[in-house]
Amino acid sequence: MTEVLLDADAIGRAIRRMASEIVEASRGAGSLAIVGIRRGGVVLSERLAAAVAEQEGTKVPTGLVDIAFYRDDAATALPDPKIGPSHLPFDPTGMDVVLVDDVLQTGRTVRAAIDCLLDYGRPRRVWLAALLDRGGRELPIAADFLGRRIEVAPGAKVRVELGETDRAWLQPAPTEEAR
Amino acid sequence: MSGLPHLLDLRSLSRDEVVKILDTAEAFFEVSRRPVRKVPTLRGKTIINLFYEASTRTRTSFEIAAKRLSADAVNMSVSTSSVSKGETLYDTCKTLEAMHPDVVVIRHSASGAPHYVASKLRCGVVNAGDGMHAHPTQALLDAFTIRRAKGTLEGLNVTIVGDVAHSRVARCNSVLLRSFGCRVRVVGPRTLVPPHFAEAFDVETFHELEPALEGADVVMCLRIQRERLQDALLPSLREYSRTFGVGQAQLALAKKDAIVMHPGPMNRGVEIAHDVADGPQSVVLDQVEAGVAVRMAVLYLLAGGEEGAREAAA
């Protein structure tokens, strides 16, 4: 029992719109950089960068950050076996950096990603782009560029798949009988 | 898979756990190359380096690793501690425990001392070298260096040259590399490569350098210690160097892309020639760099685990 939130066409339109909003906010792509938050934001950041490149005819620097070392529960949570290196092959100092994640919920991941980014330099501005905002914020963080805002029950899981077929869907929380 | 309770030797580590440590170290490797070489991961954690044996490099490496994780690292070395006043290891453990450390890193000249300490302390314990027994972070950093240089750990030809009998590095590396299906050849004079080693560690022993080097992917030189001369295990360093020193001529017997390793500190001109130590095939300094990343990974997996994971896993 799943509910489709965004199909491939809707995701494509959302990415193109967000890309043009980003370019407009940064007044061109000259000082723009796009950084995905591992792991959900990486593919989306590549798509956004490609859409910006298509619109502006110029490539923007891209990178990715892994937030495992910056988690506010790093000392108590189980170490994540899927840690990967951050990779920022450019100096973000003075740039407009767009952090990208697929689903925005508590905001804790974004807080950690900002801390990680700032260890590489001092960007002029840091923005946040997300495909879906499902609410449930625990920190004062908001998306600057958003695909769609959705209302979701707390236990439900929002899944985003960007690959051969793009789709975002909702897995409802298991009911009492299903357990 | 949860965090590790302790890191005492490699035999108690599964292959998956080795891979997990190496994969985690890959992420930490990048941290040391950033403009800000520090992450907040272990903020508020205390790590005590308890060194009963002099070791500037290993201690420094552990200290840097702890500091780059934002942990508070405290060094206790034998000359300044109460050991010289006759305190037992048991009492030292209890004293340390009262200070609530999260991890104790211990080096001791007695094999098994870290196991004893781990049984007495409620925090994580890392063996930083005990007697002739084990030195797990050295084997892990060697494995990390090999994997980076060769792309894999599986099925390589590794030759370990030197004082195998007294070397915890040789023991730990043999255990780890054999578990990844490497062919391990150990070579050295009969006094330093005991006959039982082959069976105990499932490796091949040689007493002549040339046949042991043929087709090697990795050549690991071990440090020759001057005490071996006093113990009459070696006639002279010069003779050792002539028969077992690795120079360009000997290295030519290994594969063209073979790498040369040394745990340091090197005796240049004894177990390794100058031009090999500084040559393009040497990864000695990569080992040092890997050491910090691997130790960060180990400390993270020990101190970053959930409360109670240690008791559950123990």
Side-chain angles (χ1 to χ4, degrees):
Chain A
M1 210 184 73
T2 58
E3 180 193 331
V4 175
L5 296 167
L6 295 171
D7 61 16
D9 287 343
I11 290 176
R13 280 193 298 275
I15 289 174
R16 284 193 296 277
R17 174 177 55 76
M18 286 156 74
S20 65
E21 286 172 5
I22 289 167
V23 170
E24 198 180 339
S26 188
R27 304 192 179 179
S31 57
L32 193 62
I34 298 182
V35 173
I37 301 173
R38 201 192 281 268
R39 294 159 21 119
V42 174
V43 178
L44 183 61
S45 72
E46 288 163 2
R47 297 287 185 85
L48 277 171
V52 167
E54 200 173 299
Q55 286 176 27
E56 292 298 295
T58 171
K59 276 187 139 180
V60 297
T62 57
L64 59 93
V65 288
D66 189 293
I67 59 118
F69 306 144
Y70 294 84
R71 292 168 63 121
D72 51 17
D73 58 355
T76 51
L78 290 176
D80 184 356
K82 297 219 172 69
I83 299 170
S86 296
H87 182 62
L88 224 67
F90 60 90
D91 180 0
T93 301
M95 302 191 80
D96 290 338
V97 179
V98 185
L99 285 172
V100 182
D101 206 355
D102 54 355
V103 182
L104 177 60
Q105 187 177 0
T106 63
R108 288 180 192 270
T109 300
V110 178
R111 195 282 306 160
I114 294 170
D115 277 357
C116 179
L117 177 64
L118 295 185
D119 278 353
Y120 286 90
R122 188 176 187 273
R124 181 169 65 167
R125 287 180 288 210
V126 181
W127 285 317
L128 175 64
L131 189 60
L132 292 167
D133 178 353
R134 59 169 291 174
R137 214 75 79 245
E138 295 169 4
L139 290 174
I141 277 169
D144 301 282
F145 310 103
L146 184 64
R148 183 179 294 180
R149 193 181 312 277
I150 51 173
E151 295 291 327
V152 179
K157 288 201 165 90
V158 174
R159 303 283 191 198
V160 176
E161 191 177 279
L162 299 174
E164 286 185 12
T165 45
D166 297 344
R167 62 192 185 123
W169 72 100
L170 189 66
Q171 261 178 352
T175 56
E176 284 306 315
E177 303 129 54
R179 281 177 196 168
Chain B
M1 195 155 58
S2 67
L4 297 165
H6 303 292
L7 181 65
L8 301 175
D9 55 47
L10 280 164
R11 288 197 196 271
S12 51
L13 218 55
S14 74
R15 225 183 99 118
D16 285 348
E17 284 171 321
V18 170
V19 171
K20 182 183 175 180
I21 293 171
L22 299 184
D23 288 348
T24 307
E26 287 286 347
F28 283 115
F29 189 80
E30 186 266 344
V31 172
S32 291
R33 293 187 168 190
R34 293 183 191 177
V36 176
R37 289 179 280 279
K38 198 180 185 83
V39 289
T41 321
L42 294 186
R43 210 153 46 98
K45 300 277 182 178
T46 303
I47 293 168
I48 298 181
N49 291 324
L50 184 60
F51 276 66
Y52 286 89
E53 240 184 20
S55 162
T56 314
R57 333 174 127 235
T58 305
R59 205 205 61 215
T60 306
S61 182
F62 268 107
E63 188 178 347
I64 289 178
K67 287 184 168 164
R68 289 194 179 157
L69 289 165
S70 301
D72 296 304
V74 183
N75 293 320
M76 235 177 112
S77 55
V78 69
S79 55
T80 57
S81 80
S82 49
V83 180
S84 50
K85 299 175 188 164
E87 187 176 70
T88 63
L89 188 53
Y90 175 80
D91 285 321
T92 306
C93 285
K94 287 294 152 194
T95 306
L96 289 181
E97 182 150 273
M99 300 182 208
H100 301 285
D102 296 280
V103 177
V104 170
V105 177
I106 177 171
R107 157 146 320 177
H108 203 288
S109 56
S111 303
H115 293 71
Y116 174 80
V117 169
S119 72
K120 299 296 170 206
L121 286 178
R122 275 191 299 261
C123 66
V125 174
V126 180
N127 180 357
D130 62 329
M132 295 176 221
H133 172 236
H135 190 0
T137 58
Q138 178 71 43
L140 288 165
L141 76 87
D142 287 342
F144 184 89
T145 307
I146 294 171
R147 199 174 74 163
R148 278 205 143 225
K150 295 283 155 200
T152 179
L153 271 179
E154 306 276 347
L156 295 169
N157 285 304
V158 182
T159 304
I160 304 176
V161 190
D163 185 1
V164 172
H166 301 88
S167 174
R168 51 198 175 205
V169 178
R171 282 177 175 72
C172 265
N173 267 302
S174 298
V175 170
L176 191 151
L177 294 166
R178 286 298 295 141
S179 75
F180 283 87
C182 290
R183 178 186 181 200
V184 178
R185 288 176 282 183
V186 301
V187 54
R190 282 172 201 280
T191 47
L192 300 180
V193 177
H196 67 80
F197 200 88
E199 200 183 334
F201 292 92
D202 192 23
V203 299
E204 300 163 47
T205 53
F206 290 78
H207 303 294
E208 262 182 89
L209 187 56
E210 286 71 19
L213 283 176
E214 271 168 26
D217 297 290
V218 177
V219 180
M220 214 177 267
C221 302
L222 300 175
R223 179 177 165 77
I224 290 294
Q225 279 159 340
R226 289 181 183 276
E227 296 95 282
R228 306 299 165 240
L229 291 174
Q230 286 150 19
D231 299 343
L233 294 173
L234 284 177
S236 74
L237 288 183
R238 184 149 174 252
E239 176 169 330
Y240 179 85
S241 162
R242 281 174 55 169
T243 38
F244 294 102
V246 175
Q248 291 294 0
Q250 289 76 25
L251 190 55
L253 296 167
K255 287 192 185 152
K256 276 203 175 65
D257 61 350
I259 55 170
V260 181
M261 308 177 79
H262 194 298
M266 291 188 284
N267 289 310
R268 285 168 176 263
V270 180
E271 68 262 7
I272 187 167
H274 282 275
D275 54 351
V276 171
D278 300 326
Q281 288 166 275
S282 166
V283 293
V284 173
L285 296 177
D286 302 75
Q287 289 173 271
V288 178
E289 189 177 8
V292 173
V294 164
R295 288 171 180 128
M296 285 172 85
V298 167
L299 294 175
Y300 169 69
L301 292 170
L302 258 75
E306 204 171 19
E307 289 292 321
R310 182 159 301 114
E311 286 76 14

